[in-house]
Amino acid sequence: MSPHSREEAPPHRTPRWIVLGWVAVLTVVAWHHIPQAQANHTHTGSNQLHIATIHGNNGTSTSPGDQDEQYCVQSRTASIDGTRMANFIEETLAKLSTIWDGTASWRVDLWRTSKFCADYDSATRATIEYEYHIKDDWYEVSLCGGYYSCVVFDNGVYDGYHTHYKWGYSYLQTEHVSGYDTRARKFINHETGHILGLKDPDYNGHCMNSVMHNDLYSSMGCTDPVWYPTASDKSSVTRIADRTNTW
Ligand SMILES: [Zn+2]
Ligand SMILES: [Zn+2]
């Protein structure tokens, strides 16, 4: 049994997706498998929750290739200006000093699209690797509900090594990001870590200097306020990109 099976949504509630994700923050998880102590960890095995393009890098300095990661942003609430949020997300991912962009020797190469997600026709949108959506609640996404931000993957493909996913969706609660502050960046970086294949803490006290194991998990005893991807986070993503992740 994988640690994610508990999170599969009832099919009748989300029939269009194979729902593969997990509650993003503040969840209390009791899991009997204890990974390597104090090590950041990833989805492993034959089904790995990460974006399929993470293993390659084939763009240029001015345009993305099909192994790069394009993302669009979509506000679905009147309280979030889409352009302001897209600018904030782009800054968080790619313009500050400690960022996800460039991780794993640029196999993580994040490109903001010029338009909002809903402004693309379906064929073009299908070429965009992942999306950030912001809404006041996510009851329509069972993994998120009314309180959590979460990540959902869709369109699994097998690459000869494992199944991974062509599309990822980061569903952000308005309240988590509306401050345009360090806390908002913490949520954006955490959910992006899920897009790239990282996991939440598996058990109480599974804490470290990691944007995946920080004080968003105070309920599990974690107190580190770090809001950006750390060296541990980046090395874990590199192991995924290298296909050497076994924990
Ligand atoms: Zn999470
Ligand atoms: Zn993969």
Tab-separated table of all heavy atoms in Angstrom, residues 127-178:
chain	number	residue	atom	x	y	z
A	127	THR	N	-0.177	22.159	-23.471
A	127	THR	CA	1.286	22.187	-23.544
A	127	THR	C	1.910	22.870	-22.326
A	127	THR	O	3.138	22.912	-22.204
A	127	THR	CB	1.773	22.913	-24.806
A	127	THR	OG1	1.472	24.314	-24.704
A	127	THR	CG2	1.129	22.344	-26.060
A	128	ILE	N	1.099	23.417	-21.466
A	128	ILE	CA	1.586	24.086	-20.255
A	128	ILE	C	1.655	23.050	-19.137
A	128	ILE	O	0.667	22.387	-18.838
A	128	ILE	CB	0.646	25.253	-19.873
A	128	ILE	CG1	0.635	26.298	-20.990
A	128	ILE	CG2	1.076	25.879	-18.542
A	128	ILE	CD1	-0.445	27.362	-20.833
A	129	GLU	N	2.820	22.913	-18.530
A	129	GLU	CA	3.040	21.797	-17.608
A	129	GLU	C	2.239	21.904	-16.323
A	129	GLU	O	1.727	20.908	-15.817
A	129	GLU	CB	4.527	21.659	-17.281
A	129	GLU	CG	5.330	20.929	-18.343
A	129	GLU	CD	5.571	21.768	-19.588
A	129	GLU	OE1	5.465	23.015	-19.496
A	129	GLU	OE2	5.858	21.188	-20.659
A	130	TYR	N	2.175	23.110	-15.756
A	130	TYR	CA	1.409	23.165	-14.504
A	130	TYR	C	0.792	24.535	-14.291
A	130	TYR	O	1.153	25.510	-14.947
A	130	TYR	CB	2.226	22.687	-13.318
A	130	TYR	CG	3.314	23.609	-12.808
A	130	TYR	CD1	3.102	24.375	-11.662
A	130	TYR	CD2	4.545	23.699	-13.439
A	130	TYR	CE1	4.094	25.189	-11.160
A	130	TYR	CE2	5.541	24.518	-12.938
A	130	TYR	CZ	5.308	25.268	-11.800
A	130	TYR	OH	6.283	26.075	-11.304
A	131	GLU	N	-0.167	24.558	-13.367
A	131	GLU	CA	-1.013	25.735	-13.183
A	131	GLU	C	-1.157	26.052	-11.698
A	131	GLU	O	-1.229	25.148	-10.871
A	131	GLU	CB	-2.413	25.486	-13.773
A	131	GLU	CG	-2.379	25.028	-15.228
A	131	GLU	CD	-3.767	24.956	-15.865
A	131	GLU	OE1	-4.781	25.064	-15.122
A	131	GLU	OE2	-3.821	24.810	-17.101
A	132	TYR	N	-1.204	27.350	-11.392
A	132	TYR	CA	-1.563	27.801	-10.046
A	132	TYR	C	-2.952	28.421	-10.123
A	132	TYR	O	-3.185	29.332	-10.924
A	132	TYR	CB	-0.594	28.877	-9.546
A	132	TYR	CG	0.822	28.412	-9.364
A	132	TYR	CD1	1.749	28.550	-10.391
A	132	TYR	CD2	1.249	27.855	-8.158
A	132	TYR	CE1	3.055	28.131	-10.237
A	132	TYR	CE2	2.561	27.438	-7.989
A	132	TYR	CZ	3.457	27.580	-9.034
A	132	TYR	OH	4.763	27.163	-8.878
A	133	HIS	N	-3.834	27.920	-9.296
A	133	HIS	CA	-5.169	28.500	-9.201
A	133	HIS	C	-5.375	29.029	-7.784
A	133	HIS	O	-4.981	28.373	-6.807
A	133	HIS	CB	-6.242	27.454	-9.509
A	133	HIS	CG	-6.250	27.030	-10.945
A	133	HIS	ND1	-7.332	27.212	-11.762
A	133	HIS	CD2	-5.293	26.448	-11.716
A	133	HIS	CE1	-7.055	26.749	-12.980
A	133	HIS	NE2	-5.820	26.282	-12.968
A	134	ILE	N	-5.995	30.190	-7.676
A	134	ILE	CA	-6.240	30.789	-6.369
A	134	ILE	C	-7.744	30.991	-6.212
A	134	ILE	O	-8.400	31.571	-7.083
A	134	ILE	CB	-5.516	32.146	-6.202
A	134	ILE	CG1	-4.013	31.990	-6.460
A	134	ILE	CG2	-5.747	32.685	-4.786
A	134	ILE	CD1	-3.582	32.286	-7.884
A	135	LYS	N	-8.267	30.516	-5.093
A	135	LYS	CA	-9.700	30.606	-4.848
A	135	LYS	C	-9.932	30.644	-3.340
A	135	LYS	O	-9.087	30.193	-2.563
A	135	LYS	CB	-10.387	29.386	-5.471
A	135	LYS	CG	-11.882	29.460	-5.646
A	135	LYS	CD	-12.342	28.327	-6.594
A	135	LYS	CE	-13.855	28.300	-6.742
A	135	LYS	NZ	-14.477	27.629	-5.575
A	136	ASP	N	-11.075	31.184	-2.925
A	136	ASP	CA	-11.331	31.380	-1.496
A	136	ASP	C	-11.509	30.064	-0.751
A	136	ASP	O	-11.250	29.980	0.453
A	136	ASP	CB	-12.563	32.258	-1.290
A	136	ASP	CG	-12.351	33.667	-1.839
A	136	ASP	OD1	-11.190	34.013	-2.159
A	136	ASP	OD2	-13.337	34.410	-1.973
A	137	ASP	N	-11.988	29.055	-1.431
A	137	ASP	CA	-12.018	27.709	-0.858
A	137	ASP	C	-11.884	26.727	-2.007
A	137	ASP	O	-12.050	27.081	-3.169
A	137	ASP	CB	-13.311	27.438	-0.077
A	137	ASP	CG	-14.519	27.362	-0.993
A	137	ASP	OD1	-14.627	26.392	-1.781
A	137	ASP	OD2	-15.368	28.272	-0.929
A	138	TRP	N	-11.548	25.492	-1.660
A	138	TRP	CA	-11.378	24.469	-2.700
A	138	TRP	C	-12.225	23.231	-2.410
A	138	TRP	O	-11.768	22.105	-2.571
A	138	TRP	CB	-9.893	24.093	-2.835
A	138	TRP	CG	-9.129	25.134	-3.574
A	138	TRP	CD1	-8.180	25.980	-3.084
A	138	TRP	CD2	-9.251	25.475	-4.962
A	138	TRP	NE1	-7.721	26.818	-4.054
A	138	TRP	CE2	-8.356	26.531	-5.218
A	138	TRP	CE3	-10.047	24.995	-6.019
A	138	TRP	CZ2	-8.228	27.107	-6.482
A	138	TRP	CZ3	-9.922	25.572	-7.272
A	138	TRP	CH2	-9.014	26.614	-7.491
A	139	TYR	N	-13.448	23.467	-2.019
A	139	TYR	CA	-14.327	22.323	-1.795
A	139	TYR	C	-14.501	21.494	-3.062
A	139	TYR	O	-14.769	20.295	-2.996
A	139	TYR	CB	-15.694	22.795	-1.281
A	139	TYR	CG	-15.629	23.329	0.123
A	139	TYR	CD1	-15.806	24.691	0.374
A	139	TYR	CD2	-15.368	22.476	1.192
A	139	TYR	CE1	-15.731	25.190	1.669
A	139	TYR	CE2	-15.294	22.970	2.485
A	139	TYR	CZ	-15.481	24.327	2.708
A	139	TYR	OH	-15.391	24.812	3.986
A	140	GLU	N	-14.333	22.108	-4.215
A	140	GLU	CA	-14.478	21.365	-5.469
A	140	GLU	C	-13.303	20.409	-5.704
A	140	GLU	O	-13.378	19.515	-6.548
A	140	GLU	CB	-14.594	22.333	-6.652
A	140	GLU	CG	-13.316	23.080	-6.955
A	140	GLU	CD	-13.520	24.193	-7.974
A	140	GLU	OE1	-14.068	25.245	-7.606
A	140	GLU	OE2	-13.136	23.991	-9.128
A	141	VAL	N	-12.216	20.634	-4.992
A	141	VAL	CA	-11.053	19.721	-5.054
A	141	VAL	C	-10.976	19.028	-3.703
A	141	VAL	O	-10.582	19.627	-2.712
A	141	VAL	CB	-9.753	20.495	-5.350
A	141	VAL	CG1	-8.566	19.545	-5.391
A	141	VAL	CG2	-9.873	21.265	-6.655
A	142	SER	N	-11.336	17.762	-3.684
A	142	SER	CA	-11.554	17.113	-2.394
A	142	SER	C	-10.292	17.075	-1.541
A	142	SER	O	-10.363	17.126	-0.318
A	142	SER	CB	-12.092	15.700	-2.601
A	142	SER	OG	-11.210	14.943	-3.406
A	143	LEU	N	-9.127	17.009	-2.168
A	143	LEU	CA	-7.896	16.976	-1.385
A	143	LEU	C	-7.671	18.268	-0.618
A	143	LEU	O	-7.062	18.276	0.442
A	143	LEU	CB	-6.693	16.736	-2.306
A	143	LEU	CG	-6.538	15.341	-2.868
A	143	LEU	CD1	-5.456	15.344	-3.924
A	143	LEU	CD2	-6.222	14.353	-1.771
A	144	CYS	N	-8.122	19.379	-1.174
A	144	CYS	CA	-7.919	20.686	-0.532
A	144	CYS	C	-9.021	21.003	0.460
A	144	CYS	O	-8.754	21.442	1.583
A	144	CYS	CB	-7.910	21.798	-1.578
A	144	CYS	SG	-6.472	21.919	-2.626
A	145	GLY	N	-10.250	20.862	0.029
A	145	GLY	CA	-11.378	21.225	0.873
A	145	GLY	C	-11.411	22.717	1.141
A	145	GLY	O	-10.975	23.536	0.344
A	146	GLY	N	-11.900	23.052	2.302
A	146	GLY	CA	-12.084	24.454	2.630
A	146	GLY	C	-10.927	25.083	3.359
A	146	GLY	O	-10.941	26.284	3.636
A	147	TYR	N	-9.900	24.296	3.641
A	147	TYR	CA	-8.870	24.780	4.546
A	147	TYR	C	-7.458	24.637	3.999
A	147	TYR	O	-6.577	25.421	4.318
A	147	TYR	CB	-8.990	24.005	5.859
A	147	TYR	CG	-8.125	24.498	6.981
A	147	TYR	CD1	-8.256	25.792	7.477
A	147	TYR	CD2	-7.162	23.671	7.538
A	147	TYR	CE1	-7.457	26.247	8.508
A	147	TYR	CE2	-6.359	24.107	8.581
A	147	TYR	CZ	-6.513	25.393	9.063
A	147	TYR	OH	-5.723	25.836	10.084
A	148	TYR	N	-7.233	23.643	3.156
A	148	TYR	CA	-5.882	23.341	2.707
A	148	TYR	C	-5.616	23.848	1.302
A	148	TYR	O	-6.507	23.860	0.452
A	148	TYR	CB	-5.639	21.824	2.706
A	148	TYR	CG	-5.841	21.156	4.034
A	148	TYR	CD1	-6.896	20.285	4.239
A	148	TYR	CD2	-4.958	21.400	5.077
A	148	TYR	CE1	-7.075	19.664	5.466
A	148	TYR	CE2	-5.137	20.785	6.307
A	148	TYR	CZ	-6.201	19.922	6.493
A	148	TYR	OH	-6.374	19.311	7.703
A	149	SER	N	-4.370	24.210	1.047
A	149	SER	CA	-3.876	24.285	-0.317
A	149	SER	C	-3.345	22.903	-0.670
A	149	SER	O	-2.870	22.176	0.199
A	149	SER	CB	-2.750	25.324	-0.445
A	149	SER	OG	-3.242	26.634	-0.241
A	150	CYS	N	-3.409	22.530	-1.936
A	150	CYS	CA	-2.969	21.191	-2.292
A	150	CYS	C	-2.530	21.141	-3.748
A	150	CYS	O	-2.692	22.090	-4.502
A	150	CYS	CB	-4.078	20.162	-2.034
A	150	CYS	SG	-5.482	20.226	-3.152
A	151	VAL	N	-1.958	20.016	-4.108
A	151	VAL	CA	-1.493	19.771	-5.470
A	151	VAL	C	-2.139	18.495	-5.985
A	151	VAL	O	-2.224	17.494	-5.266
A	151	VAL	CB	0.047	19.654	-5.509
A	151	VAL	CG1	0.526	19.015	-6.806
A	151	VAL	CG2	0.683	21.024	-5.326
A	152	VAL	N	-2.585	18.535	-7.225
A	152	VAL	CA	-3.179	17.377	-7.880
A	152	VAL	C	-2.463	17.180	-9.218
A	152	VAL	O	-2.142	18.159	-9.906
A	152	VAL	CB	-4.691	17.596	-8.111
A	152	VAL	CG1	-5.281	16.475	-8.953
A	152	VAL	CG2	-5.426	17.717	-6.785
A	153	PHE	N	-2.210	15.926	-9.543
A	153	PHE	CA	-1.579	15.601	-10.820
A	153	PHE	C	-2.579	14.948	-11.755
A	153	PHE	O	-3.518	14.301	-11.316
A	153	PHE	CB	-0.395	14.660	-10.610
A	153	PHE	CG	0.761	15.288	-9.880
A	153	PHE	CD1	0.857	15.220	-8.497
A	153	PHE	CD2	1.756	15.957	-10.574
A	153	PHE	CE1	1.911	15.794	-7.809
A	153	PHE	CE2	2.820	16.538	-9.897
A	153	PHE	CZ	2.899	16.452	-8.519
A	154	ASP	N	-2.315	15.089	-13.037
A	154	ASP	CA	-3.198	14.485	-14.033
A	154	ASP	C	-2.350	14.092	-15.244
A	154	ASP	O	-1.257	14.608	-15.449
A	154	ASP	CB	-4.268	15.514	-14.439
A	154	ASP	CG	-5.398	14.893	-15.236
A	154	ASP	OD1	-5.505	13.642	-15.273
A	154	ASP	OD2	-6.162	15.650	-15.843
A	155	ASN	N	-2.891	13.149	-16.020
A	155	ASN	CA	-2.285	12.739	-17.291
A	155	ASN	C	-0.953	12.013	-17.070
A	155	ASN	O	0.111	12.459	-17.503
A	155	ASN	CB	-2.108	13.957	-18.212
A	155	ASN	CG	-1.999	13.557	-19.674
A	155	ASN	OD1	-1.892	12.376	-19.997
A	155	ASN	ND2	-2.012	14.533	-20.540
A	156	GLY	N	-1.034	10.891	-16.401
A	156	GLY	CA	0.148	10.091	-16.138
A	156	GLY	C	0.743	9.500	-17.414
A	156	GLY	O	0.014	9.076	-18.313
A	157	VAL	N	2.051	9.481	-17.489
A	157	VAL	CA	2.757	8.880	-18.629
A	157	VAL	C	3.910	8.033	-18.101
A	157	VAL	O	4.527	8.359	-17.089
A	157	VAL	CB	3.302	9.955	-19.600
A	157	VAL	CG1	2.167	10.638	-20.326
A	157	VAL	CG2	4.152	10.982	-18.865
A	158	TYR	N	4.183	6.948	-18.784
A	158	TYR	CA	5.292	6.067	-18.408
A	158	TYR	C	6.482	6.364	-19.308
A	158	TYR	O	6.341	6.403	-20.536
A	158	TYR	CB	4.859	4.602	-18.552
A	158	TYR	CG	5.939	3.611	-18.188
A	158	TYR	CD1	6.362	3.471	-16.860
A	158	TYR	CD2	6.535	2.819	-19.158
A	158	TYR	CE1	7.353	2.566	-16.524
A	158	TYR	CE2	7.529	1.908	-18.827
A	158	TYR	CZ	7.933	1.784	-17.510
A	158	TYR	OH	8.921	0.890	-17.183
A	159	ASP	N	7.630	6.561	-18.716
A	159	ASP	CA	8.805	6.966	-19.510
A	159	ASP	C	9.850	5.855	-19.606
A	159	ASP	O	10.997	6.107	-19.987
A	159	ASP	CB	9.427	8.233	-18.923
A	159	ASP	CG	10.106	7.978	-17.578
A	159	ASP	OD1	9.882	6.908	-16.971
A	159	ASP	OD2	10.874	8.864	-17.138
A	160	GLY	N	9.446	4.631	-19.263
A	160	GLY	CA	10.403	3.531	-19.276
A	160	GLY	C	11.015	3.282	-17.916
A	160	GLY	O	11.648	2.237	-17.708
A	161	TYR	N	10.835	4.216	-16.997
A	161	TYR	CA	11.353	4.077	-15.645
A	161	TYR	C	10.224	4.058	-14.620
A	161	TYR	O	10.190	3.241	-13.722
A	161	TYR	CB	12.306	5.240	-15.303
A	161	TYR	CG	13.515	5.306	-16.180
A	161	TYR	CD1	13.489	6.043	-17.374
A	161	TYR	CD2	14.688	4.646	-15.835
A	161	TYR	CE1	14.610	6.108	-18.195
A	161	TYR	CE2	15.811	4.706	-16.640
A	161	TYR	CZ	15.766	5.437	-17.824
A	161	TYR	OH	16.867	5.502	-18.626
A	162	HIS	N	9.325	4.999	-14.766
A	162	HIS	CA	8.199	5.110	-13.832
A	162	HIS	C	7.113	5.941	-14.495
A	162	HIS	O	7.324	6.554	-15.546
A	162	HIS	CB	8.653	5.730	-12.503
A	162	HIS	CG	9.370	7.043	-12.666
A	162	HIS	ND1	10.686	7.213	-12.313
A	162	HIS	CD2	8.959	8.238	-13.146
A	162	HIS	CE1	11.059	8.456	-12.566
A	162	HIS	NE2	10.021	9.110	-13.079
A	163	THR	N	5.969	5.931	-13.871
A	163	THR	CA	4.894	6.819	-14.310
A	163	THR	C	5.038	8.150	-13.587
A	163	THR	O	5.243	8.190	-12.371
A	163	THR	CB	3.522	6.192	-13.997
A	163	THR	OG1	3.382	4.994	-14.768
A	163	THR	CG2	2.393	7.151	-14.336
A	164	HIS	N	4.976	9.212	-14.353
A	164	HIS	CA	4.931	10.555	-13.778
A	164	HIS	C	3.889	11.334	-14.580
A	164	HIS	O	3.188	10.752	-15.409
A	164	HIS	CB	6.323	11.197	-13.747
A	164	HIS	CG	7.097	11.096	-15.019
A	164	HIS	ND1	8.462	11.196	-15.101
A	164	HIS	CD2	6.667	10.896	-16.314
A	164	HIS	CE1	8.847	11.064	-16.357
A	164	HIS	NE2	7.787	10.881	-17.099
A	165	TYR	N	3.785	12.623	-14.373
A	165	TYR	CA	2.562	13.305	-14.801
A	165	TYR	C	2.834	14.524	-15.691
A	165	TYR	O	3.706	15.340	-15.398
A	165	TYR	CB	1.745	13.697	-13.559
A	165	TYR	CG	1.254	12.434	-12.895
A	165	TYR	CD1	2.088	11.720	-12.034
A	165	TYR	CD2	0.029	11.888	-13.221
A	165	TYR	CE1	1.683	10.510	-11.496
A	165	TYR	CE2	-0.382	10.678	-12.692
A	165	TYR	CZ	0.442	10.004	-11.836
A	165	TYR	OH	0.053	8.803	-11.324
A	166	LYS	N	2.089	14.590	-16.765
A	166	LYS	CA	2.259	15.706	-17.690
A	166	LYS	C	1.723	17.012	-17.123
A	166	LYS	O	2.215	18.079	-17.461
A	166	LYS	CB	1.539	15.406	-19.011
A	166	LYS	CG	2.249	14.344	-19.857
A	166	LYS	CD	1.591	14.212	-21.210
A	166	LYS	CE	1.869	15.432	-22.096
A	166	LYS	NZ	1.362	15.230	-23.478
A	167	TRP	N	0.704	16.905	-16.275
A	167	TRP	CA	0.082	18.122	-15.752
A	167	TRP	C	0.011	18.110	-14.236
A	167	TRP	O	-0.312	17.089	-13.622
A	167	TRP	CB	-1.352	18.258	-16.289
A	167	TRP	CG	-1.451	18.347	-17.784
A	167	TRP	CD1	-0.540	18.881	-18.651
A	167	TRP	CD2	-2.529	17.870	-18.603
A	167	TRP	NE1	-0.991	18.770	-19.947
A	167	TRP	CE2	-2.209	18.170	-19.942
A	167	TRP	CE3	-3.739	17.241	-18.309
A	167	TRP	CZ2	-3.054	17.832	-21.007
A	167	TRP	CZ3	-4.578	16.908	-19.360
A	167	TRP	CH2	-4.245	17.213	-20.691
A	168	GLY	N	0.293	19.263	-13.651
A	168	GLY	CA	0.115	19.451	-12.219
A	168	GLY	C	-0.691	20.710	-11.957
A	168	GLY	O	-0.640	21.676	-12.723
A	169	TYR	N	-1.440	20.661	-10.872
A	169	TYR	CA	-2.279	21.801	-10.498
A	169	TYR	C	-2.019	22.143	-9.039
A	169	TYR	O	-2.156	21.294	-8.166
A	169	TYR	CB	-3.767	21.464	-10.674
A	169	TYR	CG	-4.106	21.084	-12.096
A	169	TYR	CD1	-3.981	19.763	-12.524
A	169	TYR	CD2	-4.502	22.048	-13.006
A	169	TYR	CE1	-4.257	19.410	-13.833
A	169	TYR	CE2	-4.791	21.708	-14.321
A	169	TYR	CZ	-4.662	20.385	-14.725
A	169	TYR	OH	-4.928	20.046	-16.025
A	170	SER	N	-1.639	23.379	-8.796
A	170	SER	CA	-1.454	23.853	-7.438
A	170	SER	C	-2.647	24.730	-7.077
A	170	SER	O	-2.830	25.802	-7.660
A	170	SER	CB	-0.151	24.645	-7.344
A	170	SER	OG	0.041	25.122	-6.040
A	171	TYR	N	-3.430	24.246	-6.156
A	171	TYR	CA	-4.632	24.978	-5.736
A	171	TYR	C	-4.328	25.702	-4.431
A	171	TYR	O	-4.121	25.069	-3.395
A	171	TYR	CB	-5.804	24.017	-5.557
A	171	TYR	CG	-6.220	23.333	-6.836
A	171	TYR	CD1	-5.983	21.978	-7.039
A	171	TYR	CD2	-6.833	24.056	-7.855
A	171	TYR	CE1	-6.359	21.353	-8.227
A	171	TYR	CE2	-7.211	23.445	-9.045
A	171	TYR	CZ	-6.971	22.091	-9.216
A	171	TYR	OH	-7.340	21.481	-10.389
A	172	LEU	N	-4.297	27.006	-4.515
A	172	LEU	CA	-3.929	27.830	-3.365
A	172	LEU	C	-5.170	28.493	-2.784
A	172	LEU	O	-5.971	29.084	-3.520
A	172	LEU	CB	-2.922	28.910	-3.801
A	172	LEU	CG	-1.601	28.388	-4.365
A	172	LEU	CD1	-0.854	29.509	-5.100
A	172	LEU	CD2	-0.740	27.842	-3.237
A	173	GLN	N	-5.277	28.414	-1.465
A	173	GLN	CA	-6.368	29.124	-0.790
A	173	GLN	C	-6.036	30.618	-0.759
A	173	GLN	O	-4.907	31.013	-0.449
A	173	GLN	CB	-6.497	28.612	0.652
A	173	GLN	CG	-6.770	27.134	0.784
A	173	GLN	CD	-8.257	26.808	0.893
A	173	GLN	OE1	-9.083	27.688	1.100
A	173	GLN	NE2	-8.591	25.536	0.751
A	174	THR	N	-7.027	31.435	-1.036
A	174	THR	CA	-6.822	32.883	-1.011
A	174	THR	C	-6.137	33.329	0.274
A	174	THR	O	-5.176	34.102	0.250
A	174	THR	CB	-8.167	33.616	-1.150
A	174	THR	OG1	-8.738	33.295	-2.420
A	174	THR	CG2	-7.998	35.130	-1.026
A	175	GLU	N	-6.614	32.817	1.386
A	175	GLU	CA	-6.091	33.280	2.680
A	175	GLU	C	-4.611	32.953	2.849
A	175	GLU	O	-3.894	33.624	3.575
A	175	GLU	CB	-6.916	32.641	3.807
A	175	GLU	CG	-6.645	33.208	5.193
A	175	GLU	CD	-5.419	32.595	5.845
A	175	GLU	OE1	-5.160	31.394	5.633
A	175	GLU	OE2	-4.710	33.327	6.566
A	176	HIS	N	-4.124	31.937	2.151
A	176	HIS	CA	-2.725	31.546	2.283
A	176	HIS	C	-1.772	32.485	1.532
A	176	HIS	O	-0.594	32.546	1.857
A	176	HIS	CB	-2.526	30.113	1.761
A	176	HIS	CG	-3.167	29.076	2.621
A	176	HIS	ND1	-3.336	27.766	2.214
A	176	HIS	CD2	-3.688	29.140	3.880
A	176	HIS	CE1	-3.920	27.068	3.175
A	176	HIS	NE2	-4.152	27.879	4.184
A	177	VAL	N	-2.287	33.164	0.537
A	177	VAL	CA	-1.382	33.952	-0.323
A	177	VAL	C	-1.762	35.422	-0.453
A	177	VAL	O	-1.025	36.202	-1.048
A	177	VAL	CB	-1.294	33.332	-1.740
A	177	VAL	CG1	-0.629	31.962	-1.689
A	177	VAL	CG2	-2.669	33.236	-2.393
A	178	SER	N	-2.885	35.824	0.099
A	178	SER	CA	-3.383	37.184	-0.134
A	178	SER	C	-2.547	38.258	0.541
A	178	SER	O	-2.696	39.440	0.237
A	178	SER	CB	-4.840	37.298	0.324
A	178	SER	OG	-4.952	36.945	1.693
